[in-house]
């Protein structure tokens, strides 16, 4: 009888153990699913930020804030090599520590991590110690995880998260943090084109206008507030003739004065750039293309009434007289020129490629007859 009871108890214990194991596996599966959902939610937040009409620096700071909030990290810093130096792109650490954080790649403790593309975890064991990379600060960070960032096997910088507690990351699931790191890399890679566009913008020395690249970066924030906008490209079609028959100086003055006419008449909410050479672009933010005709007619009339005159003057020239080279003064004839301008207008739809639209407008102007000088809609 006792043996039977013992067997029954052993069976019951075995069943309970098996049941507990089954429950534990379900809990682990649930936690994994929950973590995957959380990671997916964070990735969606990242992608939402990437799609916003904002500067690259602002986006990276938002991403860093998401990491801090969602993973309950005390400090988070993203440092990127911009081609010349290491720059802090995002951090919630006081500025007094920025120089240290921007030079962690020089610290011996992190150099193996950078060269092997593996994370590095460091912590202190008592309150009187400080982390190896800390210079003067004590108590701000007592543990840290350092992650080198690589895009296509190219080292581009690092991400470091820090805690004010010792051994804060001992039980951290590094697989989860690797997902965060990969997401940060993905966003940095995605935004590299935008970053290049923002930094390549130049100011034209003759007109003071931004170059065409301005349209693809900062300017988009202006006209993408509206579903549609009218885009006008115009070209000074006789600029080569002016340069050849009058002078290049007159040609440069024509370009400057034509741009000044637009600048003095154009409301501030519109965008005006020197596209390339004698071509310019105006984006009428939130305006339908049919509504800009009278404004463009006014611009065109004033532009083509413009006349740049280079007055006659005496100049010193060298001539050969009786076999000798001598200096003589001659009267340089008066020269003048007026621009002839061709306009083309189309509609930009928010979310589409304005660079493709500009290409279409440019192709139209370049293929038009040289004698054409009017306002066209395509």
């Amino acid at each position: 009888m006792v043996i039977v009871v013992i067997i029954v108890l052993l069976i019951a214990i075995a069943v309970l153990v098996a049941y507990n194991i089954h429950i534990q596996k379900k809990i682990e599966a649930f936690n994994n699913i929950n973590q995957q959902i959380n990671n997916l939610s964070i990735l969606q937040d990242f992608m939402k930020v990437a799609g916003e009409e904002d500067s690259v620096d602002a986006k990276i700071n938002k991403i860093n804030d998401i990491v801090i909030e969602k993973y309950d990290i005390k400090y988070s810093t993203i440092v990127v090599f911009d081609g010349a130096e290491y720059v802090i792109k995002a951090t919630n650490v006081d500025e007094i520590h920025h120089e240290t954080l921007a030079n962690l790649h020089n610290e011996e403790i992190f150099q193996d991590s950078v060269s092997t593309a593996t994370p590095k975890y460091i912590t202190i064991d008592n309150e009187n110690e400080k982390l190896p990379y800390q210079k003067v600060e004590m108590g701000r960070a007592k543990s840290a995880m350092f992650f080198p960032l690589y895009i296509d096997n190219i080292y581009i910088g690092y991400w470091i998260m820090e805690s004010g507690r010792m051994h804060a990351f001992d039980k951290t699931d590094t697989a989860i943090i690797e997902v965060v790191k990969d997401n940060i890399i993905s966003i940095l890679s995605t935004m590299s084109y935008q970053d290049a566009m923002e930094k390549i913008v130049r100011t034209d020395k003759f007109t003071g206008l931004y170059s065409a690249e301005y349209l693809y970066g900062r300017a988009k924030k202006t006209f993408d507030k509206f579903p549609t906008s009218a885009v006008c490209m115009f070209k000074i079609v006789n600029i080569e003739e002016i340069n050849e028959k009058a002078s290049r100086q007159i040609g440069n003055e024509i370009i400057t004065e034509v741009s000044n006419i637009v600048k003095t008449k154009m409301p501030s909410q519109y965008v005006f750039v020197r596209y390339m050479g004698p071509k310019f672009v105006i984006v009428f933010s939130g305006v339908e293309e049919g509504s800009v005709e009278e404004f463009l007619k006014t611009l065109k009339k004033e532009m083509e009434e413009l006349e740049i005159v280079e007055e006659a003057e005496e100049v010193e020239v060298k001539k050969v007289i009786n076999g000798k080279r001598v200096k003589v003064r001659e009267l340089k004839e008066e020269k003048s020129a007026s621009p002839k301008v061709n306009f083309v207008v189309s509609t930009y739809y928010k979310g589409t490629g304005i660079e493709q639209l500009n290409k279409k407008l440019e192709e139209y102007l370049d293929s038009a007859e040289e004698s054409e000088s009017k306002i066209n809609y395509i």
Side-chain angles (χ1 to χ4, degrees), residues 51 53 220 223-228 348-355:
E53 294 299 334
K220 277 179 66 67
F223 50 79
D224 268 356
K225 294 176 183 177
F226 307 93
T228 61
Y348 165 74
Y349 296 90
K350 178 180 178 180
T352 60
I354 190 168
E355 63 277 11

Side-chain angles (χ1 to χ4, degrees), residues 31-66:
N31 287 336
N32 288 335
I33 293 171
N34 190 50
Q35 187 60 59
Q36 289 172 7
I37 292 171
N38 189 42
N39 286 336
L40 180 60
S41 173
I42 292 171
L43 181 57
Q44 288 173 333
D45 289 342
F46 280 7
M47 299 312 295
K48 180 181 177 181
V49 169
E52 289 177 355
E53 294 299 334
D54 215 335
S55 69
V56 169
D57 287 345
K59 290 178 180 180
I60 295 175
N61 273 286
K62 287 182 180 179
I63 287 168
N64 200 49
D65 290 342
I66 291 170

Side-chain angles (χ1 to χ4, degrees), residues 281-313:
V281 170
I282 307 172
V283 180
F284 298 90
S285 310
V287 178
E288 294 182 1
E289 64 177 63
S291 303
V292 303
E293 185 166 359
E294 291 305 315
F295 178 75
L296 295 180
K297 283 181 179 178
T298 301
L299 288 183
K300 180 175 170 57
K301 182 175 183 296
E302 192 167 336
M303 288 175 184
E304 295 187 337
E305 288 176 349
L306 178 69
E307 183 180 17
I308 301 296
V309 178
E310 190 177 88
E311 295 181 354
E313 61 176 340

Side-chain angles (χ1 to χ4, degrees), residues 49-176:
V49 169
E52 289 177 355
E53 294 299 334
D54 215 335
S55 69
V56 169
D57 287 345
K59 290 178 180 180
I60 295 175
N61 273 286
K62 287 182 180 179
I63 287 168
N64 200 49
D65 290 342
I66 291 170
V67 170
I68 293 166
E69 177 188 353
K70 298 291 186 180
Y71 289 97
D72 194 24
I73 298 170
K74 180 69 173 177
Y75 302 111
S76 177
T77 302
I78 299 171
V79 178
V80 175
F81 184 66
D82 68 357
E85 60 183 345
Y86 286 82
V87 178
I88 292 179
K89 286 292 187 179
T91 187
N92 63 330
V93 178
D94 192 277
E95 190 173 353
I96 194 174
H97 306 300
H98 284 193
E99 185 176 353
T100 297
L101 291 171
N103 288 282
L104 295 182
H105 56 284
N106 293 324
E107 296 292 332
E108 184 178 353
I109 194 165
F110 296 128
Q111 287 178 358
D112 283 346
S113 177
V114 170
S115 62
T116 60
T118 55
K120 179 76 172 182
Y121 173 39
I122 55 176
T123 187
I124 60 174
D125 292 316
N126 66 70
E127 294 290 344
N128 296 323
E129 295 178 346
K130 64 179 182 179
L131 296 175
Y133 63 87
Q134 293 177 324
K135 304 305 179 186
V136 295
E137 71 258 42
M138 292 283 287
R140 180 186 68 83
K142 297 174 182 177
S143 53
M145 288 194 75
F146 177 93
F147 295 87
L149 303 177
Y150 281 77
I151 295 178
D152 295 331
N153 295 321
I154 303 298
Y155 173 65
I156 63 159
Y158 50 88
W159 168 46
I160 184 169
M161 58 180 191
E162 302 169 290
S163 173
R165 295 182 295 106
M166 295 184 291
H167 297 276
F169 304 115
D170 286 3
K171 296 182 180 179
T172 299
D173 186 344
T174 55
I176 294 172

Side-chain angles (χ1 to χ4, degrees), residues 202-237:
R202 297 291 182 267
T203 302
D204 177 57
K205 67 177 181 179
F206 292 115
T207 64
L209 298 172
Y210 286 127
S211 59
E213 291 79 13
Y214 180 69
L215 293 172
Y216 314 133
R218 284 174 281 171
K220 277 179 66 67
K221 292 186 289 184
T222 300
F223 50 79
D224 268 356
K225 294 176 183 177
F226 307 93
T228 61
S229 297
V231 179
C232 167
M233 182 180 290
F234 66 87
K235 177 182 180 182
I236 305 172
V237 294

